[in-house]
């Protein structure tokens, strides 16, 4: 029943996709719309739904195969994720071990510098303490000065004078820098910190984009591509191609060309009057990236010989 006019709905408006009555049909609301008898819409939709349902039932093996592929991808995702986490723990642990070893080496270096500086300062302290009034050297000098035997005095005073002269020379040539503590030791880790903050996963290349303006098929197939701007770089590329079987409209097995180092390649001597499907993907340290979209290229037929 039409909610607007309380008439039986016998028509179907394809434009609005709703049921209408005879009064709705002549109103301005549906002017110019495609309207068909409801029995025609019923039969058309029933046939369409029946065909769709038959296709679904006949494609159960395809659907089940796709479910199996998706479930396998889910399992692989879990395995790859666990493996990646384990690798991150190992690599970061290796970095931590390297830092610990470096820390120990730098600490040993500082300790050695401290020891050398302390020995130098202690030697200077000892030299100056020997010149103090109550030191053993000064007391010994007083005793030598009391010696009246000239030969004994000469022997004792000569060595004593040399010791005192060296100590006095050290005192007279003393500079503030000579008693400076260990010079400041600065460790610059700005570059290393920057590298650590930029530490990230190596990304595989994105799917290449086929350059349709430069790609063509004639007596040879020339395939050209580029990487998206935000893609990680690729070391080299793999090209896969196969020919469509025109009789059975099926595809033959993929053929592959590995390690293409440029952004283009040439396939020599393709079959004439044939359709080829091609795709390309990049490779770097992270592994292979996604394939590009398939591109279909038609080779021309054989030229017709001129009868003249």
């Amino acid at each position: 029943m039409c909610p607007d006019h309380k008439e039986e709905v016998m028509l179907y408006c394809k434009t609005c996709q709703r049921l209408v009555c005879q009064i709705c049909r002549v109103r301005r609301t549906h002017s110019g719309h495609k309207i068909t008898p409801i029995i025609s819409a019923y039969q058309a939709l029933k046939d369409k739904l029946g065909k769709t349902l038959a296709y679904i039932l006949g494609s159960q093996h395809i659907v089940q195969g796709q479910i199996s592929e998706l479930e396998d991808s889910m399992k692989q995702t879990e395995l790859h994720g666990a493996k990646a986490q384990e690798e991150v723990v190992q690599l970061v642990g290796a970095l931590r071990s390297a830092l610990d070893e470096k820390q120990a080496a730098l600490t040993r270096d500082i300790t050695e510098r401290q020891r050398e500086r302390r020995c130098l300062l202690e030697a200077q302290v000892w030299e100056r303490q020997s010149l103090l009034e109550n030191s053993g050297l000064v007391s010994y000098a007083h005793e030598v000065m009391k010696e009246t035997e000239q030969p004994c005095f000469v022997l004792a005073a000569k060595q004593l004078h040399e010791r005192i002269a060296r100590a006095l020379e050290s005192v007279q040539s003393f500079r503030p820098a000579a008693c400076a503590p260990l010079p400041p030791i600065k460790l610059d880790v700005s570059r290393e910190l920057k590298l650590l903050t930029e530490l990230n996963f190596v990304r595989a290349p994105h799917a290449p984009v086929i350059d349709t303006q430069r790609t063509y098929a004639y007596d040879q197939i020339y395939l050209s591509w580029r990487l998206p701007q935000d893609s990680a770089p690729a070391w080299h590329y793999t090209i896969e191609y196969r020919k469509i079987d025109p009789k059975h409209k099926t595809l033959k097995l993929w053929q592959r060309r590995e390690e293409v180092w440029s952004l283009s390649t040439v396939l020599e001597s393709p079959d004439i009057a044939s359709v080829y499907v091609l795709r390309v993907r990049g490779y770097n340290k992270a592994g292979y990236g996604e394939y590009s979209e398939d591109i279909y290229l038609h080779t021309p037929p054989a030229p017709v010989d001129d009868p003249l």
Side-chain angles (χ1 to χ4, degrees):
M1 190 69 67
C2 175
D4 297 328
H5 307 105
K6 310 304 179 184
E7 295 284 336
E8 186 178 1
V9 288
M10 301 296 295
L11 304 170
Y12 179 74
C13 179
K14 293 183 177 180
T15 305
C16 297
Q17 297 186 2
R18 58 173 292 186
L19 298 173
V20 295
C21 66
Q22 291 288 353
I23 298 176
C24 293
R25 179 179 187 179
V26 298
R27 292 296 175 89
R28 183 179 299 176
T29 306
H30 297 280
S31 176
H33 290 188
K34 293 181 179 180
I35 297 177
T36 184
I38 194 170
I39 189 171
S40 299
Y42 165 82
Q43 194 60 50
L45 288 172
K46 188 172 185 180
D47 291 345
K48 185 182 294 185
L49 183 59
K51 290 179 180 178
T52 303
L53 185 59
Y55 177 80
I56 291 174
L57 294 176
S59 304
Q60 290 297 292
H61 64 289
I62 297 176
V63 175
Q64 192 58 52
Q66 292 177 353
I67 291 174
S68 298
E69 285 189 33
L70 291 169
E71 289 177 343
D72 183 64
S73 294
M74 290 170 62
K75 292 179 182 178
Q76 292 298 321
T77 297
E78 293 299 320
L79 291 174
H80 292 172
K83 183 179 179 181
Q85 289 182 7
E86 182 180 349
E87 184 176 323
V88 166
V89 171
Q90 291 177 349
L91 292 175
V92 173
L95 284 174
R96 190 176 291 112
S97 297
L99 285 173
D100 289 342
E101 292 178 5
K102 193 64 177 177
Q103 176 182 338
L106 292 172
T107 303
R108 286 194 300 270
D109 182 54
I110 293 174
T111 302
E112 181 61 24
R113 295 188 189 190
Q114 283 179 310
R115 188 192 64 79
E116 292 175 355
R117 191 66 179 176
R118 185 171 55 250
C119 290
L120 177 62
L121 293 173
E122 287 176 350
Q124 294 188 55
V125 168
W126 184 83
E127 284 184 345
R128 283 154 181 78
Q129 285 178 339
S130 66
L131 297 177
L132 294 177
E133 182 178 357
N134 296 324
S135 70
L137 182 63
V138 173
S139 299
Y140 178 60
H142 283 301
E143 292 300 322
V144 170
M145 290 295 293
K146 296 177 183 179
E147 179 63 53
T148 58
E149 294 291 332
Q150 294 181 356
C152 293
F153 178 82
V154 170
L155 289 175
K158 186 175 188 311
Q159 294 180 355
L160 177 61
H161 182 266
E162 290 177 355
R163 288 179 59 188
I164 294 176
R166 284 197 300 270
L168 286 174
E169 183 181 357
S170 176
V171 171
Q172 292 170 353
S173 62
F174 181 77
R175 293 175 300 163
C179 64
L182 186 69
I185 299 174
K186 298 293 184 181
L187 186 63
D188 183 8
V189 295
S190 57
R191 181 171 60 92
E192 288 75 12
L193 286 175
K194 184 174 184 296
L195 290 174
L196 284 174
T197 55
E198 293 175 352
L199 187 64
N200 209 335
F201 298 105
V202 179
R203 297 184 303 158
H206 290 178
V209 179
I210 302 297
D211 186 349
T212 56
Q213 299 296 319
R214 301 181 60 193
T215 297
Y216 63 85
Y218 195 62
D219 57 345
Q220 63 181 15
I221 293 177
Y222 181 81
L223 182 64
S224 177
W225 62 90
R226 59 177 173 80
L227 284 174
Q229 289 185 350
D230 59 343
S231 172
W235 293 351
H236 55 74
Y237 299 88
T238 294
I239 289 83
E240 292 188 346
Y241 61 97
R242 59 185 177 181
K243 190 176 76 168
I244 294 178
D245 187 340
K247 293 182 179 179
H248 303 93
K249 295 184 179 180
T250 58
L251 294 170
K252 295 186 176 181
L253 295 176
W254 286 106
Q255 293 180 272
R256 183 174 297 168
R257 177 172 293 181
E258 302 277 6
E259 296 191 7
V260 176
W261 298 88
S262 62
L263 293 175
S264 63
T265 192
V266 175
L267 304 178
E268 301 287 353
S269 305
D271 295 341
I272 60 174
S274 301
V275 178
Y276 283 86
V277 187
L278 302 97
R279 63 185 185 182
V280 59
R281 64 177 177 173
Y283 177 86
N284 63 12
K285 187 176 182 179
Y288 284 102
E290 297 291 333
Y291 278 106
S292 66
E293 292 186 4
D294 293 352
I295 184 171
Y296 292 76
L297 297 177
H298 299 251
T299 57
V304 180
D305 293 335
D306 190 344
L308 300 179

